[in-house]
Amino acid sequence: MGVRLMVVDDHRLLAEALASALKLRGHRVLAAAAPAAGAAELVITRAPEVCLIGTATPAEPGIFDPVVRIKKERPQVAVLVLGPVPNPRGIAAAFAAGASGYVRHDERIEGVERAIMKARAGEAAVAPQLLQGAFSELLNPAAQPDDEGQRLLQMLTPREVEVLVRVADGEDTRLIAAGMGIAPSTARTHVQRVLMKLGVGSRLEAAALAARTGLLDRAGPVTLSSVDVPHPQDPRHTP
């Protein structure tokens, strides 16, 4: 017995080709529409048994918002995500949004059909190795290095990280220089490089970005070469 389906993808040709192939296999395809951003409204209106939503960027923040809305307003609809070879974060995000499965764009039509039948039956429709990676991400998200805080941290040298920590602590150029044992001009240069690498225009913005992304928590303690040794010109130094 055929399944009542919807196929939604940013690439209309891909959506229409998949819809045609599924129709030939006896399924009733209600719509093949683009872009994927409008998927939620279509699915909520048509209420298919299974919806296939395509995405080229499964790890992009907010990409699965349509899935969240669909599951909130039409919880009986099983949603399958069609996408590229994902990282564990993309798989985890899809399942966290309420998707019933994830199917690679290069999957054969027989594999897509099997996933559809599993999803309609209430089963997880995803390759075992992808599912294992998703569970690892959900159980230990901090271990994944592709989040924004880790990405930003990797852009900075150890000394620039210390400068950022001191900026976040409210130190001005004079205190940064004294605490690190460097000239004020050198400290100023480090600060400017940090701002440039983080893509912000002020120290306040840098501190806010570091706090929001958890960059400071990942930085850990300063290195031995950056220990805040009292400097004779540091006003905090007491003889």
Side-chain angles (χ1 to χ4, degrees), residues 130-211:
L130 298 183
L131 190 60
Q132 182 179 7
F135 282 148
S136 297
E137 163 61 20
L138 289 171
L139 292 173
N140 189 21
Q144 296 299 327
D146 55 349
D147 62 274
E148 187 178 7
Q150 184 68 22
R151 179 181 62 81
L152 293 174
L153 185 61
Q154 292 174 344
M155 294 169 58
L156 304 176
T157 66
R159 175 144 289 198
E160 289 167 348
V161 170
E162 183 187 356
V163 168
L164 178 58
V165 171
R166 291 177 180 276
V167 166
D169 285 341
E171 294 186 8
D172 59 19
T173 301
R174 182 172 55 86
L175 288 178
I176 292 173
M180 297 179 66
I182 57 179
S185 60
T186 303
R188 191 175 299 109
T189 298
H190 282 317
V191 171
Q192 291 303 316
R193 285 178 179 171
V194 169
L195 299 184
M196 180 184 66
K197 288 184 176 181
L198 296 183
V200 297
S202 69
R203 299 181 184 213
L204 183 61
E205 288 181 76
L209 177 63

Side-chain angles (χ1 to χ4, degrees), residues 24-128:
L24 290 174
R25 301 180 76 86
H27 301 289
R28 180 186 174 191
V29 184
L30 302 179
E41 199 66 43
L42 286 170
V43 175
I44 291 168
T45 301
R46 300 293 188 89
E49 293 178 276
V50 180
C51 175
L52 292 90
I53 299 181
T55 178
T57 54
E60 181 179 326
I63 196 69
F64 297 121
D65 286 352
V67 180
V68 174
R69 185 182 171 199
I70 291 169
K71 297 306 294 184
K72 179 180 179 181
E73 300 193 30
R74 294 285 187 181
Q76 73 277 16
V77 175
V79 179
L80 283 176
V81 174
L82 298 171
V85 178
N87 61 21
R89 187 175 297 277
I91 290 285
F95 276 94
S100 297
Y102 190 104
V103 182
R104 288 170 44 169
H105 270 147
D106 59 356
E107 181 63 77
R108 296 173 63 89
I109 189 63
E110 293 84 1
V112 175
E113 188 173 38
R114 283 194 298 271
I116 289 171
M117 303 308 291
K118 282 187 175 183
R120 185 175 69 167
E123 301 175 25
V126 61

